[in-house]
Amino acid sequence: MDRQNLETVLMENRKFVPSDEFKKRAHISSLDEYFTRYRKSIDDPEKFWGSIAEELHWFKKWDRVLNEEDAPFFKWFENGKTNISYNCLDRHLETGVRNKAAIIWEGEPGEQRVLTYWDLAREVNKFANALRNLGIKHGDRIAIYLPMIPELAIAMLACARIGAIHTVIFAGFSAESIRDRVLDCDARMVITADGGWRRGNVLQLKNIVDEAIQECDCVKDVVVVKRAHGDPFPCHIKEGRDHWYHRIIDEVSAVCPPAEVDSEDLLFLLYTSGTTGKPKGIIHTTGGYMVFTYLTAKYVFDLRPEDVYWCTADIGWVTGHSYIVYGPLANGATCLMYEGTPNWPDKGRFWNIIEKYGVTVFYTAPTAIRTFMKWGERWPEKYDLSSLRLLGTVGEPINPEAWIWYNKIIGGENCPIVDTWWQTETGGIMITPLPGCMDTKPGSATYPFFGIDVTVLNESGEETEAGFLAIKKPWPGMLRGIYSDAKRYKETYWSKWPDVYFPGDGAKKDSDGYYWILGRVDDVVNVSGHRIGTAELESIFVEHETIAESAVIGIKHEVKGQALVAFVSLKEGVKASPELEGELKHWVVKKIGKFAIPERIIFAADLPKTRSGKIMRRLLRDVSEGRALGNITTLADAAVIDDLKAKYEEG
Ligand code: WTA
């Protein structure tokens, strides 16, 4: 556990109260109401979740809300038949929501598109029919590698409509990462675009996919959305395998009856880094995930019919799945979607978008907030942000200083802030303020959401004030496993204590019962809200021909939250040089993507080890954070650490 984090958190006592005006209109406006409903949801989860699920459409009602017989392989809404695309689209077409904007999109170069629920339903139906025409069936896996354009949401919903399983790969991943994911889930198709705009340049996605699938025999078809419009970027179409999106949706019917899928049928896989070398395919199924994202989106963002809700995450991560696509659309909300970066053409782009579309709810990451702070107040101050009524954060702990800035400069001290703790694995928000009824403290995610039974445990499973975050009961949005690795699922999440879910985060509960999340306690580093496994990076380094050994650690970083530092020792006869450092960075880009490049690569003669040969990462952390070294009695060769210290300070 990070002592420094703990100390900052202990000093933070300020409380912020939602305004009477906000409270008056909120879905949940009193703490008593929260506590009463929370108690009921914990005492009788089946009754609670069953009644929420009734608000959505089921072709056939479930037999049982929760089946725990085969724990930790839980089943929610057992034998229920539904379809999430039906609930996100068709359900609204007979109501006033039909003509409301579902997606308001802005491209980085400045184009705008508005799709009403009716428009979106038509597009999804057409693409679903086109997928069927290409032979896609219920249960097939489809990889999606698209920029932030409406077709990304359309593709996901079209897969869901016919019972195909999507796995979205963030468009910053390299060809090799795509290949590994495609092979792991045996994907039958890849959906991509010729390119996507990023900071004024076109990222040539189709070329990356071509390289990725050279060795993937499982991929029979590639669908290509035309986004870069034939700019000087050649996009090769391989006859028979590749299909332009606009061609295959032309002349297909705009009616595609939704597949009546089982509640526990897989909806999607999403790969995330863990503590071992190989990313894991997190499994989410249909019914429980749908009910959970529907309810969390409604209450946490306090959605109202007139809201323009903007989540700035990329749909390639879980935040975009749950809170750009499924949760808000299940609620009939209007979502804003933006393709590009916040500093294009200048650092005011986000604030310009908020003013232009009258955004009311804004959900972003602490790392983005710290970047905005660095850019200065003059950017947001140029724009009218008074349409905002609620702010949110996700992805990493928010430091109180950034929280206060967000509240003052973006929220005008008039918007509650929901600091939402959750994970790819949890499917949706787990610990969060409900904005109309809870006082907030900067840096605390406050209380658990309905149905979430949280506690803080020590190593031996006893309740404690500061220790490991733990979840004692299953919840509908939970992961159902790791794709084709049931053993790893049990070991990673359910083996620390019996029948308790271990998320891998440290936490503290204060005297008001507020939770403070203190960051990862395992070998996962959270860089700008992106999870990177140190073991994954280490194994990538040793694959390089020059490297003998490597150890990667996370250190504190002012803007990114955490940054990576790699210590590497070279093979006999290889010399350290700036060129080699550049080559190694390039190697990481090739193997994972730009976002995983370490802040520093330190060439060491040797790495500090115990006498039994285990690398002492703790000492590397001490060196990197400039602290006095902890206990070194088990260190095999004390000279190693002096050499490292000198090298670290040099650079
Ligand atoms: C961290 C993102 C503190 C945490 C939705 C978790 C947070 C990991 C918060 C999951 C928060 C997420 N406060 N830490 N509000 N939200 N985290 O899977 O360490 O990309 O385990 O899901 O991010 O990251 P993931």
Side-chain angles (χ1 to χ4, degrees), residues 319 395-397 419-424 505 517 520 526 531:
T319 304
E396 40 169 333
D419 172 357
T420 62
W421 176 84
W422 59 295
Q423 311 177 294
T424 304
D505 277 296
I517 312 297
R520 302 289 306 192
N526 196 329
R531 277 164 68 168

Side-chain angles (χ1 to χ4, degrees), residues 324-345:
I324 298 179
V325 182
Y326 293 116
L329 296 180
N331 280 282
T334 296
C335 294
L336 193 122
M337 187 173 168
Y338 168 60
E339 180 187 29
T341 49
N343 53 352
W344 186 267

Side-chain angles (χ1 to χ4, degrees), residues 169-437:
I169 303 169
F170 168 61
F173 274 110
S174 68
E176 290 197 25
S177 297
I178 302 173
R179 182 199 61 198
D180 293 347
R181 285 158 174 75
V182 162
L183 290 176
D184 187 76
C185 70
D186 202 23
R188 157 87 176 64
M189 171 186 275
V190 181
I191 302 171
T192 187
D194 51 357
W197 290 94
R198 220 166 158 74
R199 215 166 276 127
N201 288 315
V202 170
L203 202 64
Q204 297 180 60
L205 302 175
K206 172 62 165 55
N207 292 352
I208 300 174
V209 168
D210 284 342
E211 189 191 332
I213 62 174
Q214 269 169 13
E215 300 155 45
C216 303
D217 292 339
C218 52
V219 175
K220 305 294 179 223
D221 295 283
V222 177
V223 174
V224 190
V225 179
K226 195 167 205 155
R227 163 76 188 121
H229 299 294
D231 273 1
F233 306 108
C235 168
H236 175 69
I237 294 290
K238 187 171 167 187
E239 276 313 313
R241 185 197 70 181
D242 300 349
H243 318 269
W244 283 111
Y245 174 90
H246 59 276
R247 296 240 172 94
I248 56 170
I249 60 161
D250 196 29
E251 291 181 19
V252 293
S253 156
V255 179
C256 177
E260 300 188 3
V261 305
D262 191 273
S263 177
E264 283 299 341
D265 276 350
L266 269 63
L267 173 65
F268 67 85
L269 300 174
L270 190 56
Y271 284 83
T272 188
S273 292
T275 49
T276 66
K278 197 172 157 254
K280 40 194 181 181
I282 301 299
I283 298 176
H284 282 290
T285 59
T286 305
Y289 175 84
M290 172 176 85
V291 172
F292 193 59
T293 51
Y294 162 74
L295 194 73
T296 45
K298 176 172 169 178
Y299 285 157
V300 177
F301 303 115
D302 193 45
L303 291 172
R304 296 181 192 163
E306 70 277 20
D307 273 325
V308 177
Y309 160 88
W310 184 17
C311 165
T312 68
D314 192 289
I315 293 179
W317 309 109
V318 75
T319 304
H321 283 60
S322 302
Y323 299 111
I324 298 179
V325 182
Y326 293 116
L329 296 180
N331 280 282
T334 296
C335 294
L336 193 122
M337 187 173 168
Y338 168 60
E339 180 187 29
T341 49
N343 53 352
W344 186 267
D346 64 35
K347 297 185 174 101
R349 185 63 180 268
F350 273 20
W351 321 124
N352 173 274
I353 291 176
I354 290 178
E355 177 182 294
K356 186 149 104 192
Y357 299 98
V359 171
T360 56
V361 181
F362 181 65
Y363 188 36
T364 195
T367 185
I369 298 166
R370 289 188 296 262
T371 306
F372 303 144
M373 285 171 77
K374 224 174 74 181
W375 289 346
E377 286 153 33
R378 68 190 183 95
W379 293 104
E381 275 168 6
K382 277 195 198 172
Y383 298 92
D384 177 6
L385 305 181
S386 61
S387 57
L388 290 171
R389 64 178 195 91
L390 175 61
L391 303 174
T393 73
V394 59
E396 40 169 333
I398 181 163
N399 47 312
E401 193 195 351
W403 196 104
I404 297 288
W405 187 91
Y406 196 32
N407 175 55
K408 187 164 167 216
I409 306 300
I410 307 305
E413 294 179 293
N414 194 32
C415 303
I417 297 179
V418 287
D419 172 357
T420 62
W421 176 84
W422 59 295
Q423 311 177 294
T424 304
E425 292 87 338
T426 68
I429 295 168
M430 303 286 279
I431 307 181
T432 175
L434 293 183
C437 71

Side-chain angles (χ1 to χ4, degrees), residues 566-637:
F567 293 85
V568 296
S569 66
L570 299 171
K571 285 187 183 154
E572 278 292 316
V574 182
K575 281 227 151 40
S577 66
E579 292 72 35
L580 181 57
E581 184 177 343
E583 191 184 320
L584 290 174
K585 287 187 173 165
H586 190 71
W587 183 246
V588 174
V589 175
K590 182 168 141 60
K591 295 281 174 182
I592 307 184
K594 261 197 190 143
F595 62 92
I597 299 179
E599 198 70 10
R600 294 188 62 188
I601 299 180
I602 314 281
F603 295 105
D606 206 349
L607 298 175
K609 292 193 198 114
T610 60
R611 283 181 200 97
S612 59
K614 256 186 89 178
I615 294 176
M616 296 178 74
R617 285 189 176 66
R618 176 174 57 79
L619 292 184
L620 295 175
R621 255 176 241 126
D622 289 344
V623 168
S624 312
E625 293 189 345
R627 272 194 303 266
L629 295 183
N631 186 346
I632 56 164
T633 48
T634 52
L635 187 64
D637 177 0

